[in-house]
Amino acid sequence: MLPAADRLRELLHAALADRSFVKLTLAAPRAEGAEVRQLILRPIALRGEFAVSCVWRHRTRDITKNLNADDAEQLVDRALRTEFRNANLFTTDLTAQFEERDGAAGRLRQGPPQHQHPAAL
């Protein structure tokens, strides 16, 4: 069985590929006093093409950057390994919650979808 973080990455990849992706929120920074509190990803249409809007939530400001799906997946992979302990993935097929605690392996819970329709691009 794959580790929970790898299963979450597979779910994200599938949701981006079939356009069922609604939202991904990464939270619970690994470092105490981390400047970035959350990373929120949502699908958008950019010049008629599918893209992902990434918002880094800081204490006093937000920074937004738009990425293609592949770059967004790489960003999430890096962020889960180095910056954040929790993730909530919302698709039209399922809801997945990833949680990692100190000294314990990550855990992934899946449930029914909370969104019936894809996000408006």
Side-chain angles (χ1 to χ4, degrees), residues 22 88-97 111-117:
V22 175
N88 290 297
L89 174 64
F90 301 94
T91 75
T92 56
D93 299 323
L94 58 84
T95 299
Q97 180 184 20
Q114 295 183 9
H115 302 275
Q116 305 305 323
H117 304 285

Side-chain angles (χ1 to χ4, degrees), residues 58-89:
H58 295 75
R59 287 186 181 130
T60 59
R61 71 186 190 289
D62 292 349
I63 297 174
T64 302
K65 186 173 182 178
N66 300 324
L67 302 173
N68 65 40
D70 290 338
D71 289 343
E73 284 185 63
Q74 290 176 11
L75 170 68
V76 170
D77 180 53
R78 217 174 22 256
L80 278 175
R81 282 188 280 115
T82 62
E83 294 180 62
F84 298 101
R85 294 181 183 177
N86 295 349
N88 290 297
L89 174 64

Side-chain angles (χ1 to χ4, degrees), residues 5 8-9 12 23-28 39 76 79-80 84-90 95-100 107-109:
L8 177 69
R9 287 184 200 94
L12 175 62
K23 179 180 171 182
L24 175 68
T25 302
L26 302 175
L39 174 57
V76 170
L80 278 175
F84 298 101
R85 294 181 183 177
N86 295 349
N88 290 297
L89 174 64
F90 301 94
T95 299
Q97 180 184 20
F98 172 78
E99 186 178 69
E100 187 178 291
R107 179 171 61 185
L108 182 68
R109 295 181 192 175

